[in-house]
Every structure is written in structure tokens, then in C-alpha cells.
Amino acid sequence: MTDPINVTRLPSGLTIVTESMDRVETVSFGAYVSTGTRDETAAENGVSHFLEHMAFKGTARRSAARIAEEIENVGGHINAYTAREQTAYYVKVLKNDLPLGIDIIGDILTHSSFAQDEIERERGVILQEIGQARDTPDDIIFDHFQETAYPNQPMGRPTLGTEKLIAGMTRDTLTSYMHTHYSAKNMVIAAAGNLKHDQVVSLVEEHFRDLPSHDLPTRTASRYDGGEFRQSKDLDQAHIVMGFPSVPYGHPDYHATMLLSTLLGGGMSSRLFQEVRERRGLVYSIYAFAAPFLDSGLFGIYAGTGEEQTAELVPVVLDELRRLQDGISPDELARARAQLKASLLMSLESTGSRCEQIARQIQLFGRVIPTHETVAKIDGVTEQAILKTADTTFRGTPTLATLGPIDHVPALTQISRKLAA
């Protein structure tokens, strides 16, 4: 039987990975660049995101309008995103339109024009985006949390940048950053859907032939410090994120950490949801999350609550952290495993999700990890492994970020004392 996953590494260093899904009629295709916010200097914070916006604003042979029209003329979708360690550009098209999709992504990554009038227009759009984020407290609180956990370093800076930096960003800053960080050695091309690997390789060789192939600068290592951010603001709700240092991708405790997050706050049956929302009615929204990076990670809990509930909320959450370490029932563990495995397996039905997964796995591990291998690792996590992970995680230096009517939210020192008791 032919392996549905194929990998080709070109002499330039560009890696191409595809997964054939013969029973669908579409293909998702993307270019995944291993650069993001954590690769920016303090003076150019926000450039990765600005560059992502500019990719769709015209090339040597296509205007911004033509890029949009060509892809939508065939019913396709094109988009991009910027994260802390990655920038991605991707399309989803019907299988017969894959050559067009590869042509467009290759064009915007190798022949973007960076016209000054388009830069000015997009500058205004990004400034509006920053303003919108600031007006969305359950969004901006995570920027404050990240910056407090990783202060004075690239890992802690906001993906959007600041208004001052974006207002002053020049065309030279954009093109210089792209020239430095966008290289065949730093990029994975991925496709998933109804495709033929050899055709994808041939089209990539044609449309990405002008991609440079130079070595990359050394990335600054992340350094978790932790601490407290508090901003009193006239809002209906207080927004609270509390977190701890956690494990990176590939760590032996990675799957135990994901199960811990699921048990604690991964759904309506989770401990935090049941105790804090269902039994006590203290919140509308509460959840736990694990955010691994290449060389570090964060484990966190978000809650939004009314001013009168803030004093009770944090102690209840801390009690749940301590109570979880007393033991996990077999039913709880089975349910958490089922949730993680279902999420993984359901994502395999989407060409877009699968395209992103195989690209990320190549970037992180140098290979595509078989699904059965991941499932086996989830099944292999014991109660003892989760309890050990919880003990290690919750003994770490905490980070607390709060925004809104927060006068009654306990201080970080009080939280630290309770966790150490």
C-alpha cells in the first residue's frame, strides 16, 4: 500500500511534505516559515505580523485586488497568520486548482512589491487591529500574561507590536527582515488533500525557485521569570490569567501536561468548570491551557468574573489545584484521554488542519509522527505521571495577569504562599 505521506527535501534546503486524502475534493497548501514574534528585535516588534499583511498587497505581476480575485474566482480561500515561532501563508482550493494556489503563495513569498502606498494603507489597518485588541479585554489579557511571564525579551512581546513601532516602521525594515528570516532552510511547504506528491514538488520547484537559501540568525533563548501585572479598569468583568512555567514540545511530560490541562479545565466536565461555574456560579468562562514552545512552555488558567466574585474565585481555583494532586479517578482519566484522542482524530478529517499538522511536525521533530504513535503516548500516560507533572508545574514561580475591577483579587504573594502551604 502506498504511503499517503511523502517528504522531499530540495537541494536548497526547502522541505516539501504532502498527505494524500483521495476521498476529498479539495487541497490545502501552505508555506510555513519558522520565524515569528520571538525572532524580532525590540525595535522591530510587530514586523513579522506587518510582513504577513503585506504579502497579500501586490507582487511584481499581481495587484492586491488580482490576488483576491484569482483565488475567489475558483471558490478558494487564502489567508495567513503570525505566531510567536511561526508565520504561515495558506490556501484551500478544489483539487484541479492546486497549481493556481501554489503559484499565488510562491508569488507573494518571492516577488512581493511592498509598494509604499500599500504599506501606508496596511499600517492603518494594523493600527486599527491593535486598537481593537486593546478594546477586547479577554484577548489583550493574554498579551499582558505573556509579557509578565517573559519580561524584556522577544518571547514576551506582543505579536501585533505597539502603535509607536508600527507607526514608524519603514519599507526597509520589512524587506530587511524578510531577507534575513525567510529562507528555504527556514520553511516547510505542506499540502494535504486530493493530490499527487510529484506534481506538488514540481510546482513548488517552479514557483519557489527564487526563494533565497541562506543560513538563519541564532534565535534568542526564552527565559521564564514570572511576576504580576495588574491594571484596574472600568469593565463589567475582571479578567484573570494565572500560570506557571511548563514544558516545551518534545518533552517527556508533554502528553501528561496536555492531559492535566484537559482534566483541570478542558471542557464542561472538567474540575474547574464543574466547581467554579456549575456548583458556585462564579464565572461564565473558565478554562485551562497548555502552551508549549520550542524551548519552554506555559501552563495557565483563564477566568472572567464579576467584581463581587473576584475575592472568592482565586482561592477556589487554588483549592482545585491542590485537590487534583490528591488523586485522579479512573473515569476522569479515561474521559480526558478520550477528549484528547477525539480532538486529534477529528482534526484528521480537515485538509487544512492536516496540512498544518504535518508542517509543524516536520519543523519540530523532522518527521511526520504517525497518529497511532501519538494515540499510544496518550494511552500510556499514567495517573502517577499526571500527578508528578501537576506537582512540578504548580511548584513553579507563578505569573498573574489581571485586568478590570480587580481590587479584591489576591496579590501574587498571597497566591504563592497558598501554593507553597
Side-chain angles (χ1 to χ4, degrees):
M1 183 177 178
T2 303
D3 191 337
I5 296 175
N6 287 277
V7 179
T8 296
R9 291 180 171 86
L10 301 181
S12 65
L14 186 64
T15 300
I16 304 167
V17 55
T18 68
E19 180 167 4
S20 177
M21 303 166 68
D22 292 340
R23 295 188 178 182
V24 300
E25 293 298 315
T26 62
V27 181
S28 291
F29 173 89
Y32 298 83
V33 192
S34 296
T35 190
T37 309
R38 69 172 298 180
D39 299 294
E40 302 166 351
T41 66
E44 63 188 14
N45 177 217
V47 66
S48 297
H49 178 252
F50 203 146
L51 193 59
E52 171 225 310
H53 274 241
M54 288 305 302
F56 301 105
K57 299 306 168 185
T59 69
R61 59 191 177 94
R62 287 182 171 97
S63 66
R66 186 177 168 193
I67 291 172
E69 288 167 359
E70 283 193 32
I71 202 71
E72 292 186 358
N73 283 346
V74 297
H77 305 280
I78 188 167
N79 212 334
Y81 67 81
T82 305
R84 299 197 181 275
E85 298 180 326
Q86 183 187 60
T87 309
Y89 305 83
Y90 56 94
V91 294
K92 183 171 184 176
V93 292
L94 297 176
K95 61 184 181 183
N96 291 335
D97 298 314
L98 179 59
L100 173 65
I102 296 177
D103 179 2
I104 290 176
I105 296 295
D107 194 23
I108 65 177
L109 288 178
T110 58
H111 298 107
S112 282
S113 55
F114 297 102
Q116 192 62 45
D117 59 339
E118 292 289 356
I119 290 174
E120 295 308 319
R121 258 191 295 274
E122 212 55 29
R123 190 194 313 278
V125 170
I126 295 170
L127 290 172
Q128 292 287 340
E129 189 175 358
I130 293 172
Q132 179 177 320
R134 187 180 295 112
D135 289 342
T136 311
D138 56 346
D139 183 3
I140 200 69
I141 189 65
F142 286 94
D143 279 351
H144 297 314
F145 173 72
Q146 187 82 18
E147 186 174 10
T148 305
Y150 296 101
N152 305 310
Q153 56 186 298
M155 183 63 89
R157 296 183 190 124
T159 298
L160 300 182
T162 66
E163 289 172 323
K164 181 178 179 181
L165 289 172
I166 296 302
M169 201 162 284
T170 66
R171 184 180 189 275
D172 285 347
T173 302
L174 294 167
T175 56
S176 175
Y177 185 86
M178 188 172 197
H179 175 75
T180 301
H181 292 278
Y182 280 52
S183 165
K185 296 179 180 179
N186 200 33
M187 191 180 296
V188 171
I189 302 297
N194 197 321
L195 56 80
K196 292 185 176 8
H197 179 76
D198 290 345
Q199 180 196 25
V200 174
V201 171
S202 177
L203 288 166
V204 169
E205 287 178 319
E206 176 185 355
H207 295 294
F208 286 76
R209 63 181 179 274
D210 292 334
L211 191 69
S213 180
H214 53 73
D215 292 332
L216 283 302
T218 301
R219 176 175 267 167
T220 303
S222 62
R223 183 194 71 255
Y224 177 95
D225 285 350
E228 183 172 13
F229 171 89
R230 299 177 76 95
Q231 183 180 352
S232 183
K233 194 170 184 180
D234 184 17
L235 298 171
D236 289 336
Q237 279 203 316
H239 299 269
I240 301 168
V241 181
M242 180 174 63
F244 307 87
S246 187
V247 299
Y249 287 109
H251 191 279
D253 295 334
Y254 171 81
H255 291 95
T257 300
M258 301 305 290
L259 283 166
L260 173 63
S261 172
T262 303
L263 282 162
L264 189 61
M268 293 174 64
S269 64
S270 68
R271 292 195 176 198
L272 285 175
F273 192 93
Q274 283 295 312
E275 181 64 27
V276 179
R277 173 172 162 157
E278 296 298 280
R279 294 195 183 99
R280 297 176 182 258
L282 292 175
V283 301
Y284 174 73
S285 177
I286 187 166
Y287 56 86
F289 62 91
F293 304 114
L294 284 168
D295 58 355
S296 66
L298 292 171
F299 187 98
I301 298 159
Y302 165 82
T305 190
E307 181 175 7
E308 295 180 0
Q309 289 76 33
T310 53
E312 184 181 358
L313 172 66
V314 174
V316 171
V317 170
L318 295 177
D319 285 343
E320 285 305 308
L321 299 190
R322 293 161 62 93
R323 191 173 293 119
L324 185 141
Q325 296 175 70
D326 293 336
I328 302 163
S329 73
D331 286 347
E332 270 191 300
L333 183 50
R335 185 164 55 245
R337 284 199 183 112
Q339 285 180 268
L340 274 187
K341 290 189 289 187
S343 177
L344 169 66
L345 295 172
M346 288 177 184
S347 71
L348 301 182
E349 298 178 3
S350 162
T351 60
S353 294
R354 194 59 187 143
C355 179
E356 183 170 8
Q357 282 181 29
I358 61 177
R360 192 65 174 146
Q361 288 172 353
I362 290 287
Q363 288 174 321
L364 291 170
F365 309 113
R367 68 186 180 100
V368 176
I369 299 175
T371 303
H372 67 81
E373 184 178 324
T374 302
V375 169
K377 287 183 177 179
I378 294 171
D379 283 336
V381 176
T382 63
E383 177 194 5
Q384 289 69 33
I386 297 173
L387 296 179
K388 173 180 170 290
T389 298
D391 181 65
T392 302
T393 301
F394 303 145
R395 286 183 185 277
T397 301
T399 294
L400 179 68
T402 57
L403 174 65
I406 57 172
D407 290 347
H408 303 300
V409 177
L412 184 64
T413 52
Q414 296 173 273
I415 292 172
S416 297
R417 281 198 298 268
K418 182 150 188 172
L419 285 167

